Amino acid sequence: QVLLCRKSLPKDPLALEDDNEQAIAGTIQHALLNYKLSVHFGLESEKPDISTLTNEELEEVDEVYNKALVEYQYLKKKYARVEVLLEEKVILDNYLPNPSWGYVDIAFIGHRAKPNKDGVYDKSTIYVLDAKFGRIKVDVVDTAKNSINPQLCSYWCGVYDLFKDKYEITKGIFMILQPKIHNYPSLILKSNLILDYMKNVISKAVFEAVNDDALMIEGKVNG
């Protein structure tokens, strides 16, 4: 579970519910996706060994790759510049028990061509996209619980911390890219709502879980 993770958020919080063969294939698919996007955006990346992937799994990577580029072009039409982060490590110590971190599959940061009079790029947007190659459906929002996907929310806040001093980030976008079941849910929220949810819901739940575990361990030791 993402909320119970002590250190690094897992790449796929539902990976343990897929069989081992699918989990291994998913890791290779992530590496191939990163390679293909890196080549497209002129970034360095090592080509992975994809000899074990089936044609269907290769097609799934292509589907995610094409979807990601469509979303990039969407931002390009709205903003003068769009920065690209691929497999970026983000530090989450401001929100979760230290040390905490995660790796963002894809993040786009859209902003204006020139900063305002204060040297800040105002009205910027952070767009976080997360590839899921498993067969178990992953949602951006759990409507029954009125909750945001904790992994995406955490990653967005990690990217926010990287750019908050340079950009006035007013909006966030989340998207799941799950080709095996053609699941592509997305969500747009104001930045203050994302940050409030992270601090008041996700962070609170994680720290409470950690404290409960610590009390249980202490009880076992002293009992």
Side-chain angles (χ1 to χ4, degrees):
Q1 296 292 326
V2 173
L3 294 181
L4 300 181
C5 185
R6 298 295 185 274
K7 295 185 178 180
S8 173
L9 289 173
K11 181 175 291 296
D12 188 340
L14 299 177
L16 295 178
E17 296 185 33
D18 284 318
D19 58 58
N20 187 57
E21 184 178 343
Q22 177 57 52
I24 294 173
T27 298
I28 300 172
Q29 286 176 294
H30 270 98
L32 177 59
L33 174 64
N34 179 64
Y35 172 75
K36 289 172 66 71
L37 288 170
S38 295
V39 170
H40 179 85
F41 289 112
L43 304 173
E44 292 187 7
S45 180
E46 184 176 346
K47 186 175 182 179
D49 179 0
I50 60 174
S51 59
T52 58
L53 294 183
T54 65
N55 288 336
E56 181 182 1
E57 289 165 343
L58 291 172
E59 290 172 359
E60 289 170 359
V61 174
D62 286 341
E63 189 171 331
V64 172
Y65 170 80
N66 290 327
K67 287 279 188 183
L69 293 185
V70 167
E71 299 307 311
Y72 173 77
Q73 291 301 325
Y74 162 77
L75 283 187
K76 286 284 289 182
K77 293 178 180 179
K78 297 175 67 68
Y79 296 93
R81 290 185 60 196
V82 179
E83 297 186 40
V84 178
L85 301 180
L86 301 175
E87 290 294 334
E88 183 77 14
K89 182 177 181 179
V90 291
I91 304 301
L92 304 171
D93 290 355
N94 288 336
Y95 311 98
L96 303 175
N98 299 346
S100 296
W101 68 88
Y103 288 88
V104 181
D105 288 341
I106 309 164
F108 300 136
I109 303 92
H111 56 82
R112 297 184 180 186
K114 295 181 179 180
N116 61 23
K117 59 182 178 63
D118 298 318
V120 176
Y121 293 85
D122 57 355
K123 297 181 180 179
S124 300
T125 292
I126 292 175
Y127 195 163
V128 170
L129 304 96
D130 199 35
K132 302 293 186 186
F133 290 103
R135 59 178 63 87
I136 301 166
K137 186 178 181 181
V138 181
D139 288 317
V140 174
V141 176
D142 184 336
T143 53
K145 298 179 180 179
N146 194 30
S147 62
I148 306 170
N149 182 299
Q151 187 181 31
L152 284 179
C153 192
S154 298
Y155 287 171
W156 187 94
C157 290
V159 176
Y160 173 86
D161 283 354
L162 290 176
F163 292 94
K164 63 183 180 181
D165 294 332
K166 185 178 180 181
Y167 304 140
E168 179 200 11
I169 302 159
T170 58
K171 186 168 61 176
I173 309 177
F174 307 118
M175 189 174 195
I176 294 290
L177 303 168
Q178 192 173 12
K180 193 176 291 295
I181 59 174
H182 305 292
N183 180 46
Y184 297 98
S186 61
L187 177 68
I188 302 175
L189 289 174
K190 292 182 178 179
S191 296
N192 64 309
L193 296 178
I194 300 172
L195 293 167
D196 285 346
Y197 187 83
M198 184 69 206
K199 294 174 182 177
N200 297 321
V201 179
I202 297 177
S203 295
K204 183 178 179 180
V206 173
F207 278 102
E208 286 179 352
V210 170
N211 290 335
D212 288 345
D213 284 353
L215 289 173
M216 290 178 63
I217 293 171
E218 183 179 351
K220 290 179 181 179
V221 171
N222 296 332

